[in-house]
Structures are given as C-alpha cells and as structure tokens.
Amino acid sequence: MTSTVPAFGTRTAEGSALQAVLVDMDGTLVDTEGFWWDAEVEVFAALGHRLDEAWRDVVVGGPMTRSAGFLIEATGADITLDELTVLLNDGFEDRISRALPLMPGAARLLAELSAHEVPTALVSASHRRIIDRVLGSIGAHHFALTIAGDEVARTKPHPDPYLLAASGLGVDPARCAVIEDTATGVAAAEAAGCRVVAVPSVAPIGPAAGRTVVPSLEHVDLSFLHGLMSTPATRR
C-alpha cells in the first residue's frame, strides 16, 4: 500500500463534507476491461476452448477467483484456478506493457483531486502485481492508499475493500464518493455505505438511490463530487 495521509473534510457551501474519493481502476481510470477479456480468450483458445461473447458481461468487474472460476466451469477446461490466475495475469500484464490508454477525463480528474489535496484511494479487484504496474503509468502520487483484490479476504462485490480504504484514510464511508464502472463494483461501494458515481464501461448500469450514472469521467470534477454530498441522492 502507499502511505496514508490525514483526511480532512472539504466542505461545500451547504456545510456538507466530502472526506475522500475512492476510485476503481480497470474500466474506470484505465481502458483495460477489453484487455482482460482478450487475455481470457487467448488463454482458453490455447487450452482448446472458445469463449462465448455473452460471458463477457458475467466476468467483467469481478475478482479473479470468481471470473476465472466461472470460465473453468463454463468451458470444462483442464486447468486449476491457481494455474489460470497466473496465465491471465501474465497475459494482461503483457498487454499493458504495450499500451495503457486512460479513460477520457481520468488524468484531469486525478490532477484536480491532487491539486486540492483530496484524500484519494485506488480500490481494485486486480492483484497487487497488476496495480503496481498500472500505477507506474497513471502516477502513484495521486493516491494516499491503494487496495488490491488479493489483499482482502473478500473483494468486490463485498463491501470489504471500500470499508478498508475508508478506514485506512480515517474517514466515514458515508462521506466518501466512489467512482466505479461495473455493477460488481457499484454493489461493493453501496454495501459499504458510500455515495456512488457509476461510469459504465462494458455493461449498462441503471440509476438507483444514492447512485449517479454519468457517461464518462469528463462529466466528473471536484465540484460535481462535492454536490453529491450536499444534495439528496439523484438519478441520472
């Protein structure tokens, strides 16, 4: 994990505090959800199996154990979960070593949060080895804390990663804005009691109480995040 910093609520004119921003990685900050699917297709092709495109919505946003386990069961491939995890991480890491496109608005948002010293955590279901490679490109200095999927007993869709991030920053989960791109991540953040901004990547996400849906990070800035805390839950 990166070092933590003291978290002080930044207050809006209405007196409501945004204490921290917690951000997902794949599909939210970096355009890599397709990389995971491509790696899965490639690995299973080598094992003699063709993946059904419909399975993409099933595995997106989930922890490696769930996604890989589902694909083993669905295909009947002769490979263990541990073996498949290594192959998928290797395939993904190879792809991000060649290209790591940021999502529109990601660089600007991270720079704005850093400039205003808003405590920010990266909360991902990806393994530590992958997160550290990505941080080298997007800038570890933007984050006071990072949480990896292989560092928690229960990762997304359970609330544990977001509760751990809030605890590590010393903030109230209810005063945290979470930015996520998948239903799995949204479920984890909402279960933790956070206010959620959904930016759907592969599969659509519907509006709900306490959740705001936007088409891209280009619609999200610090003023927007302050507004989440100062107004009732909106539906967009």
Side-chain angles (χ1 to χ4, degrees):
M1 295 182 183
T2 54
S3 60
T4 60
V5 297
F8 299 98
T10 48
R11 296 191 172 272
T12 64
E14 293 78 12
S16 184
L18 170 69
Q19 293 184 331
V21 177
L22 315 178
V23 192
D24 175 56
M25 187 177 76
D26 294 301
T28 301
L29 292 179
V30 288
D31 191 8
T32 51
E33 290 292 7
F35 288 4
W36 282 114
W37 180 247
D38 290 345
E40 289 158 351
V41 168
E42 180 178 81
V43 168
F44 277 90
L47 295 171
H49 298 275
R50 182 175 180 177
L51 300 188
D52 189 321
E53 184 71 23
W55 296 342
R56 185 172 182 174
D57 287 352
V58 178
V59 300
V60 66
M64 179 72 74
T65 52
R66 190 198 75 184
S67 300
F70 168 82
L71 292 174
I72 290 173
E73 183 176 355
T75 61
D78 184 18
I79 189 171
T80 68
L81 183 60
D82 287 344
E83 291 169 337
L84 180 56
T85 295
V86 171
L87 293 177
L88 292 178
N89 276 326
D90 285 347
F92 181 81
E93 197 165 352
D94 175 65
R95 284 165 171 79
I96 64 174
S97 69
R98 289 180 268 142
L100 186 60
L102 294 182
M103 298 299 288
R108 186 263 314 147
L109 177 60
L110 291 177
E112 183 179 17
L113 294 174
S114 292
H116 288 84
E117 299 182 343
V118 178
T120 303
L122 183 71
V123 183
S124 175
S126 289
H127 289 187
R128 171 56 56 185
R129 61 177 280 196
I130 299 299
I131 288 179
D132 287 346
R133 285 294 300 272
V134 173
L135 284 173
S137 296
I138 64 177
H141 63 283
H142 290 302
F143 304 100
L145 182 70
T146 63
I147 304 292
D150 56 342
E151 295 173 341
V152 291
R154 301 189 310 170
T155 188
K156 305 171 187 179
H158 298 287
D160 305 37
Y162 282 111
L163 292 174
L164 181 61
S167 176
L169 294 176
V171 299
D172 179 358
R175 293 300 186 187
C176 293
V178 169
I179 306 175
E180 274 280 1
D181 74 302
T182 67
T184 299
V186 166
E190 291 179 343
C194 304
R195 186 63 64 90
V196 178
V197 180
V199 190
S201 59
V202 174
I205 299 173
R211 178 195 311 166
T212 299
V213 182
V214 297
S216 82
L217 289 180
E218 293 179 311
H219 294 258
V220 181
D221 58 16
L222 186 52
S223 176
F224 176 91
L225 295 174
H226 279 312
L228 295 180
M229 301 298 160
S230 62
T231 60
T234 59
R235 291 177 170 82
R236 298 191 182 189

